């Protein structure tokens, strides 16, 4: 078996002829609108391929073996509210398998299932204090961007009965050239939803996992897909257009700054943590962990060449346009960050503060490119909660 496009837009799984080592013409597994992402379940004792785990909007499994298919049916009957993944190595010669169970509202739980006794035994819970019924519902949708490209977007609604349009946070993933969202329970989205915000997570062009056309369209990315996601959510009746904040880390932080500059009419505020503030700094800061190979080869293609695309880099640099950012902004950086050194934050803070006095700034001395300690996470998300409440929440003026 092999992963290949074979002229198609998405990566599919193809069977291979053992004698000729040629791929069969038709895919064995093809996931509409998604590149294949997953793995094989191989019985090391029986030396047989039993099935395949994959991910589309959610995780799933295809079983080629009737015993494993019957096991999946039995487990799903015992755990009907979750997506249940079965893992094993000598699957056919032992009676017990590991079950990983999760949903959009339920964090990951682990069980042992015994085929002989039909018993399902819980062994561990990743977050036992979380009550699924108190969590928001997450769903994957698609909308047409202004040029017609179909854009996936994951929307988390606050728990409880919907009562008209609500305030919203556009949560922009990092990367940007990776898959940023997954359907199962997400701590950031659920934190925001539990405070009453609709959470919009667009898989803007350039995001990986949705075919080459979607990925290729995001080279030298702009902000339009993110803005279009907001306007689409407003049209659905879910979101109050006058109470939207944009937020994100790393590339998402960059997108927050550019969103407040280019689409200031859409957003009342922004939250940027560990975000790029100037593309040229990505080339020039020599203590970042960006490799010379990336600077010389991939970055000029994906982001822009410093010579031939100099004007484009200037036009898409938040630092160059800091005076245009007039909305309230919360910025947080890690002093030990080598991916996006804190200089990105300090230079932008100094520039934007000349014309905007509504800036909240924090540096976490021991943190890198993201928050690792409980103390930092509590401090940061407490700041986020208060910041949103002031600007688009219940206490917004």
């Amino acid at each position: 078996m092999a992963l290949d496009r074979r002229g198609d837009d998405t990566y599919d799984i193809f069977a291979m002829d053992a004698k000729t080592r040629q791929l069969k013409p038709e895919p064995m597994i093809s996931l509409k609108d998604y590149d294949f992402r997953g793995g094989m379940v191989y019985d090391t004792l029986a030396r047989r391929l039993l099935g395949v785990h994959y991910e589309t909007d959610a995780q799933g499994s295809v079983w080629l073996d009737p015993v494993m298919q019957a096991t999946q049916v039995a487990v799903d009957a015992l755990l009907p509210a979750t997506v249940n993944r079965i893992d094993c190595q000598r699957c056919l010669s032992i009676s017990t398998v590991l079950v990983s169970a999760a949903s959009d509202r339920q964090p990951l739980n682990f069980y042992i299932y015994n085929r002989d006794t039909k018993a399902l035994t819980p062994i561990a819970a990743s977050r036992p204090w979380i009550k699924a019924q108190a969590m928001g519902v997450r769903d994957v949708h698609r909308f047409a961007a202004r040029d017609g490209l179909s854009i996936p977007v994951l929307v988390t609604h606050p728990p409880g009965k919907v009562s008209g349009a609500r305030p919203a946070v556009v949560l922009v993933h990092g990367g940007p050239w990776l898959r940023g969202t997954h359907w199962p329970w997400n701590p950031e989205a659920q934190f925001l939803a539990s405070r009453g915000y609709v959470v919009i997570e667009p898989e803007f062009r350039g995001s990986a996992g949705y075919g080459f056309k979607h990925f290729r369209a995001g080279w030298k990315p702009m902000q339009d897909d993110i803005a279009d996601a907001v306007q689409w959510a407003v049209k659905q009746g879910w979101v109050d257009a006058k109470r939207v904040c944009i937020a994100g880390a790393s590339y998402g932080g960059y997108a927050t700054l550019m969103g407040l500059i280019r689409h200031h009419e859409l957003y009342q505020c922004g939250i940027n943590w560990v975000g790029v503030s100037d593309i040229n700094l990505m080339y020039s800061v020599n203590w970042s962990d960006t490799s010379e190979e990336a600077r010389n080869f991939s970055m000029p293609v994906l982001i822009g060449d410093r010579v031939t695309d100099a004007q484009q880099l200037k036009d898409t640099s938040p630092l160059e346009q800091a005076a245009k950012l007039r909305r309230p902004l919360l910025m947080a950086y890690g002093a030990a960050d080598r991916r996006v050194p804190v200089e990105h934050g300090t230079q932008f803070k100094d520039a934007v503060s000349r014309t905007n006095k509504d800036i909240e700034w924090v540096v976490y001395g021991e943190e890198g490119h993201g928050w690792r300690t409980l103390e930092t996470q509590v401090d940061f998300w407490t700041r986020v909660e208060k910041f949103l409440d002031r600007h688009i929440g219940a206490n917004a003026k």
Side-chain angles (χ1 to χ4, degrees):
M1 301 176 72
L3 191 64
D4 203 286
R5 292 192 192 278
R6 300 287 293 205
D8 198 1
D9 183 52
T10 58
Y11 275 117
D12 300 329
I13 292 291
F14 289 83
M16 179 181 289
D17 188 295
K19 294 182 179 180
T20 66
R21 296 185 179 276
Q22 297 295 311
L23 299 183
K24 298 295 180 67
E26 296 299 322
M28 181 179 177
I29 300 175
S30 181
L31 307 174
K32 180 176 171 53
D33 297 326
Y34 292 89
D35 290 319
F36 177 83
R37 176 189 176 118
M40 312 300 166
V41 182
Y42 185 79
D43 190 309
T44 56
L45 187 63
R47 295 186 177 182
R48 286 173 48 195
L49 177 66
L50 303 183
V52 177
H53 296 311
Y54 65 89
E55 182 183 18
T56 53
D57 55 343
Q59 288 191 353
S61 301
V62 174
W63 294 109
L64 309 176
D65 180 86
V67 172
M68 296 306 298
Q69 176 59 32
T71 303
Q72 184 75 61
V73 170
V75 168
D76 289 345
L78 293 170
L79 297 171
T82 52
V83 172
N84 309 305
R85 171 177 167 141
I86 297 172
D87 285 293
C88 50
Q89 289 186 332
R90 299 182 177 184
C91 306
L92 301 182
S93 58
I94 60 174
S95 60
T96 57
V97 295
L98 176 68
V99 177
S100 309
S103 75
D104 58 335
R105 306 176 75 187
Q106 175 62 61
L108 193 61
N109 288 333
F110 297 94
Y111 302 84
I112 293 293
Y113 176 71
N114 188 305
R115 278 197 296 262
D116 294 338
T117 65
K118 313 300 183 186
L120 185 72
T121 305
I123 57 173
S126 61
R127 290 175 171 85
W129 57 88
I130 294 293
K131 306 302 181 185
Q133 62 272 22
M135 296 292 101
V137 173
R138 291 162 60 79
D139 280 314
V140 177
H141 305 267
R142 281 183 174 264
F143 67 92
R146 61 191 65 188
D147 64 354
L149 184 67
S150 177
I151 306 294
V153 58
L154 204 161
V155 180
T156 306
H157 290 277
K161 187 174 291 186
V162 176
S163 55
R166 302 191 185 192
V169 176
V170 185
L171 196 58
V172 186
H173 72 72
W177 301 286
L178 49 74
R179 178 166 177 172
T181 66
H182 304 274
W183 175 75
W185 188 91
N186 175 275
E188 295 175 353
Q190 291 291 2
F191 175 86
L192 295 169
S194 70
R195 271 64 181 172
Y197 303 106
V198 176
V199 184
I200 305 165
E201 298 177 80
E203 289 280 33
F204 43 83
R205 66 193 68 202
S207 301
Y210 302 94
F212 185 74
K213 178 182 177 182
H214 191 86
F215 172 69
R216 175 64 179 84
W219 297 3
K220 303 179 183 179
M222 295 294 287
Q223 299 292 119
D224 291 343
D225 293 345
I226 301 168
D228 291 349
V230 175
Q231 294 169 336
W232 166 82
V234 169
K235 289 179 181 178
Q236 307 311 303
W238 300 333
V239 171
D240 182 345
K242 296 181 179 180
R243 294 195 294 165
V244 180
C245 187
I246 183 170
S250 196
Y251 171 79
Y254 163 84
T256 293
L257 299 178
M258 283 306 300
L260 294 172
I261 291 167
R262 294 192 67 241
H263 300 290
H264 62 273
E265 75 285 352
L266 287 180
Y267 307 115
Q268 298 302 310
C269 57
I271 303 165
N272 151 39
W273 65 106
V274 301
V276 170
S277 70
D278 181 58
I279 296 173
N280 277 308
L281 278 175
M282 297 178 68
Y283 284 99
S284 62
V285 175
N286 59 15
W287 57 87
S288 82
D289 64 2
T290 303
S291 68
E292 284 300 315
E293 290 80 5
R295 290 190 178 99
N296 292 332
F297 300 105
S298 63
M299 285 172 55
V301 173
L302 296 173
I303 299 174
D305 184 88
R306 296 188 78 184
V307 177
T308 59
D309 297 315
Q311 187 59 49
Q312 175 224 309
L313 296 187
K314 183 176 181 179
D315 293 342
T316 57
S317 168
L319 185 62
E320 294 281 351
Q321 304 173 73
K324 296 180 181 179
L325 197 157
R326 300 299 180 91
R327 295 296 194 187
L329 175 65
L330 167 60
M331 290 195 295
Y333 284 80
D337 192 346
R338 295 186 64 242
R339 180 61 50 84
V340 179
V342 69
E343 185 175 347
H344 280 269
T346 55
Q347 286 200 23
F348 190 82
K349 175 179 70 73
D350 292 344
V352 75
S353 296
R354 296 177 193 137
T355 53
N356 186 343
K357 301 306 178 184
D358 202 345
I359 305 297
E360 185 176 342
W361 167 258
V362 59
V363 175
Y364 297 110
E366 302 300 321
E367 296 286 5
H369 196 60
W371 317 143
R372 298 292 181 264
T373 70
L374 178 60
E375 180 183 10
T376 299
Q377 293 186 48
V378 170
D379 181 83
F380 174 72
W381 288 103
T382 299
R383 290 173 185 267
V384 168
E385 181 176 13
K386 292 178 179 178
F387 180 85
L388 292 173
D389 187 58
R390 286 198 306 273
H391 299 295
I392 61 172
N395 291 313
K397 297 179 181 178

